[in-house]
Amino acid sequence: MSSFEKEHKQWITWHLKHREGERKDALRRGLGYGNKLFAESIWWTLMGHFNNLHPEYEVKDWRGRSYFLDFVWITGSMRIAFEIMDYGSHGKDRTKYRLDLNRQLFLQSQQYLVFSISLDEMKENPQFVISMLRAVLATFLTAPDKNQRSEAQAFGKIERQLIRYAVRKNRIVRPGHAASELELHRHTIIKYCRELVRKGKLRAVHSGTSNRVDRYEYLGAIQSLDWL
């Protein structure tokens, strides 16, 4: 089971456990293709965790009626909503399309930030969505105290190189490839990968059913400017 599958399962299980009635039913209904694609291809790639991200988040509209947003990220006092837009379900029904827009307008009047994301764009050009959200979300990340070291400064030079390499390579470090690109010996790469595993920044991934480690997966968030 991949890191994403493990964390996604735990995240959904936690929310199901803490919900009941319509809120639980809405979450079960919302576990479809588009929402999982956003969770895996967009959010997990950016953040590496699901902390403070709420699936099928219940809100009241201007009429006092409940409805459920696909995702809401709560950071400090801010609530940032992400709606996955499928042309087939939102674009053909004019009444529903109008209601969706009215709801977005209402949410913004209630100090939500609302981002509508095309399902087709996530499928065909996820890097565009990632780059746009990285720029947006970076504004809401807590800046490190000037008297404290940044996260990157807490690691050695080669460790920082490996983490930046993993960020560029969609989270994956293959020792042979990394050694060639970073101009380091393969044994040196493996040594520091193991150290980063110990520090919780990488996960060793085994090849098939064997116990041989053939790659490492980066577990942290990649939106931090420290790693860009």
Side-chain angles (χ1 to χ4, degrees), residues 7-224:
E7 294 297 324
H8 184 265
K9 181 178 180 180
Q10 291 177 349
W11 175 58
I12 294 298
T13 298
W14 187 92
H15 279 279
L16 286 171
K17 182 178 178 180
H18 289 81
R19 297 186 186 191
E20 56 185 29
E22 177 58 21
R23 294 179 68 243
K24 178 177 283 191
D25 291 341
L27 179 54
R28 287 173 174 152
R29 292 195 302 269
L31 298 177
Y33 172 75
N35 285 20
K36 188 169 183 182
L37 183 65
F38 174 84
E40 181 172 13
S41 298
I42 308 301
W43 192 263
W44 179 258
T45 299
L46 277 171
M47 305 296 283
H49 59 74
F50 296 107
N51 300 345
N52 303 317
L53 183 69
H54 300 261
E56 296 300 319
Y57 187 82
E58 184 181 20
V59 296
K60 303 285 188 181
D61 66 15
W62 63 98
R63 303 163 299 182
R65 298 179 183 177
S66 291
Y67 69 102
F68 295 86
L69 296 165
D70 289 332
F71 300 96
V72 169
W73 183 45
I74 300 176
T75 174
S77 62
M78 287 299 303
R79 283 172 166 74
I80 303 175
F82 304 95
E83 287 280 70
I84 312 307
M85 307 298 283
D86 178 358
Y87 175 76
S89 62
H90 291 83
K92 295 181 179 180
D93 186 330
R94 294 180 66 88
T95 300
K96 188 176 187 305
Y97 177 71
R98 178 181 176 181
L99 182 58
D100 286 339
L101 293 180
N102 284 344
R103 283 173 171 167
Q104 289 189 21
L105 189 60
F106 174 75
L107 285 170
Q108 292 178 68
S109 77
Q110 302 301 303
Q111 307 305 310
Y112 280 79
L113 284 182
V114 183
F115 297 98
S116 298
I117 300 172
S118 163
L119 176 60
D120 288 338
E121 197 68 29
M122 284 200 303
K123 290 190 293 186
E124 298 173 12
N125 190 16
Q127 287 304 316
F128 170 77
V129 179
I130 289 169
S131 64
M132 295 300 101
L133 289 185
R134 179 185 288 123
V136 170
L137 299 182
T139 305
F140 301 97
L141 298 174
T142 302
D145 188 295
K146 65 180 179 181
N147 295 318
Q148 297 177 347
R149 295 188 303 169
S150 71
E151 182 184 16
Q153 291 175 317
F155 295 89
K157 179 181 177 181
I158 295 177
E159 291 173 335
R160 294 197 302 271
Q161 284 182 296
L162 281 169
I163 292 174
R164 292 187 178 112
Y165 176 88
V167 168
R168 296 196 307 271
K169 300 297 182 179
N170 197 29
R171 297 183 174 274
I172 297 301
V173 177
R174 298 183 184 276
H177 296 169
S180 177
E181 185 165 328
L182 299 178
E183 299 182 342
L184 294 168
H185 196 282
R186 187 174 184 274
H187 291 311
T188 300
I189 296 292
I190 293 173
K191 172 186 173 181
Y192 283 98
C193 281
R194 288 173 176 171
E195 182 64 16
L196 287 169
V197 169
R198 187 184 69 80
K199 293 180 177 180
K201 300 302 290 186
L202 295 182
R203 177 181 77 97
V205 180
H206 296 84
S207 176
T209 58
S210 74
N211 289 321
R212 186 174 66 86
V213 174
D214 68 347
R215 64 190 185 279
Y216 296 85
E217 180 185 10
Y218 175 56
L219 299 177
I222 68 171
Q223 83 286 353
S224 171

